Amino acid sequence: MNQIDPSAIGQLFTDARTHAAWQDRAVPDSVLKDLYDLMKWGPTSGNSTPARMVFVRSPAQKAVLLECMAPGNVEKTRTAPVTAIVAYDLAFFEHLPRLFPHADMRTGFAANPERAARAALMNGSLQGGYFILAARALGLDCGPMGGFDAEKVNAAFFADSTWRVNFICNLGYGDAARLHPRGPRLSFDEACRIV
Amino acid sequence: MNQIDPSAIGQLFTDARTHAAWQDRAVPDSVLKDLYDLMKWGPTSGNSTPARMVFVRSPAQKAVLLECMAPGNVEKTRTAPVTAIVAYDLAFFEHLPRLFPHADMRTGFAANPERAARAALMNGSLQGGYFILAARALGLDCGPMGGFDAEKVNAAFFADSTWRVNFICNLGYGDAARLHPRGPRLSFDEACRIV
């Protein structure tokens, strides 16, 4: 295989930015379904795929979510056409007999909730990376956020569920004129070694 | 923005597979540097970027790594041109005054190693997703693996370091003729809700 074309590299990685201001342009449900149908293919340990998404778009549910956000994240979330609660399912292992029928992966997780929770966070975050890049591949801009009250989000959206919030991500078409300068990154020699 | 072209969508998501058999084709160091220079741009909480990579290619270091792998992962790792130890730095917060100068994010993590470890795992895994898709964008195939002895890997590669292994990923040009059938995924309605 060859590299994908430079404009796609730019859209996914080198030119892509975290957005906080949004154009007045809707995101149809069909795009959210396309987004899931891309991100779902990314690899996870034992095909465990613990990530779960709640796409919040109704004014009533958006208002509930806004109550959970840190003050600096309220306005960008209020104005985003859709906000995704990217969660993971602590009981993801119940699907393993279907998702990974080659061996019994379920029993070990069912017997060890701490191990299951760590695997849900790790693989659910890996899928969070696929989610963000799949959204960009579809032409969406993302505004992922860690600034929210996780207990409030879990109480409001997952009270009778084994799903737990991981991070929250605004989705829409960003207003590039309102971006701030980009933060620096570590150099290859700081973050990598070849041995 | 528009969707990236269908062939790139296929290369990244819909046609991409986890590989275990490799063509006899080298991966130059320059491609590993290109890979880091793409994945590094993916967003993380507070620009914390805790992921660290050790690219293992020398026979001596490969032999050390093989001692740490689960039996089913030895041959695929031995034959891969490069194997990446995708790690995270438990002391990632020491870089925050440079990476996120807008506020003091360092002190809170330095005072709470458990919170720092969870953030390193979460953001390091998010970057693991960027890593896999950046490799595919460059035309590489990936073979990510969870089957290894993490204590052995940490002892062998990170004894005097704050880096810790997260997952291990073979890199090269896969032999598509030797792929197994693809595992199923959850449906949109199983994994997502729109509210």
Side-chain angles (χ1 to χ4, degrees):
Chain A
M1 282 192 300
N2 299 314
Q3 292 192 22
I4 62 173
D5 75 82
S7 70
I9 294 265
Q11 185 167 326
L12 292 165
F13 296 104
T14 48
D15 298 333
R17 298 291 309 281
T18 288
H19 283 257
W22 308 98
Q23 300 172 44
D24 184 18
R25 180 177 165 195
V27 177
D29 285 0
S30 63
V31 172
L32 303 178
K33 288 177 181 167
D34 289 345
L35 167 51
Y36 179 69
D37 279 333
L38 292 186
M39 70 158 283
K40 72 179 181 185
W41 293 118
T44 51
S45 314
N47 198 25
S48 53
T49 60
R52 305 288 183 265
M53 275 65 61
V54 178
F55 296 103
V56 181
R57 68 150 86 253
S58 71
Q61 294 296 304
K62 197 57 115 42
V64 172
L65 184 58
L66 291 182
E67 291 293 320
C68 308
M69 303 307 294
N73 287 330
V74 169
E75 185 61 12
K76 57 181 95 161
T77 302
R78 193 185 64 75
T79 52
V82 185
T83 303
I85 303 173
V86 180
Y88 49 77
D89 187 353
L90 290 172
F92 70 90
F93 48 81
E94 298 297 354
H95 297 282
L96 286 176
R98 174 161 57 110
L99 295 175
F100 195 81
H102 323 291
D104 173 22
M105 306 281 283
R106 182 192 166 284
T107 305
F109 285 118
N112 190 338
E114 202 174 323
R115 185 173 153 242
R118 186 180 165 93
L121 176 64
M122 187 277 177
N123 287 289
S125 300
L126 202 60
Q127 289 186 280
Y130 307 145
F131 173 90
I132 289 170
L133 294 185
R136 291 175 174 177
L138 293 173
L140 291 168
D141 289 303
C142 295
M145 298 171 287
F148 56 86
D149 184 327
E151 282 184 34
K152 268 191 170 174
V153 175
N154 289 331
F157 290 90
F158 304 130
D160 296 312
S161 150
T162 52
W163 297 14
R164 295 292 179 275
V165 64
N166 186 3
F167 66 96
I168 294 179
C169 187
N170 289 322
L171 296 171
Y173 300 93
D175 179 355
R178 293 169 67 188
L179 287 168
H180 298 289
R182 198 173 203 178
R185 296 297 191 271
L186 299 176
S187 69
F188 182 88
D189 291 338
E190 289 174 302
C192 302
R193 302 200 314 250
I194 301 177
V195 299
Chain B
M1 282 192 302
N2 299 314
Q3 291 193 22
I4 62 173
D5 74 83
S7 71
I9 294 264
Q11 184 167 326
L12 293 165
F13 296 104
T14 48
D15 300 332
R17 297 290 309 280
T18 287
H19 283 258
W22 307 98
Q23 300 174 43
D24 184 17
R25 180 177 164 194
V27 177
D29 285 1
S30 62
V31 173
L32 303 178
K33 288 176 182 169
D34 290 345
L35 167 50
Y36 179 69
D37 279 334
L38 292 186
M39 71 159 282
K40 73 179 180 184
W41 293 119
T44 51
S45 314
N47 199 25
S48 53
T49 60
R52 305 289 184 265
M53 275 63 62
V54 179
F55 296 103
V56 181
R57 67 150 86 252
S58 71
Q61 293 297 304
K62 198 55 115 42
V64 171
L65 184 58
L66 292 182
E67 292 293 320
C68 309
M69 302 306 294
N73 287 332
V74 169
E75 185 61 11
K76 57 181 93 160
T77 302
R78 192 185 64 74
T79 52
V82 185
T83 303
I85 303 173
V86 180
Y88 49 77
D89 187 353
L90 290 172
F92 70 89
F93 49 80
E94 297 297 354
H95 297 282
L96 285 177
R98 175 161 55 110
L99 295 175
F100 195 82
H102 324 290
D104 173 21
M105 306 281 282
R106 182 192 166 284
T107 305
F109 286 118
N112 190 340
E114 200 174 324
R115 184 173 154 243
R118 184 179 167 94
L121 176 65
M122 186 278 177
N123 286 288
S125 301
L126 201 59
Q127 289 187 280
Y130 307 145
F131 174 89
I132 289 171
L133 295 184
R136 290 175 173 175
L138 293 172
L140 292 168
D141 289 304
C142 296
M145 298 172 287
F148 56 86
D149 183 327
E151 282 184 33
K152 269 190 171 176
V153 174
N154 289 331
F157 290 90
F158 305 129
D160 297 313
S161 150
T162 52
W163 297 13
R164 296 292 180 271
V165 62
N166 186 3
F167 67 96
I168 294 180
C169 186
N170 289 322
L171 296 172
Y173 300 93
D175 179 355
R178 294 169 66 190
L179 287 169
H180 298 288
R182 198 172 204 179
R185 296 297 191 273
L186 300 176
S187 68
F188 182 89
D189 290 338
E190 288 175 301
C192 302
R193 302 202 311 252
I194 301 176
V195 299

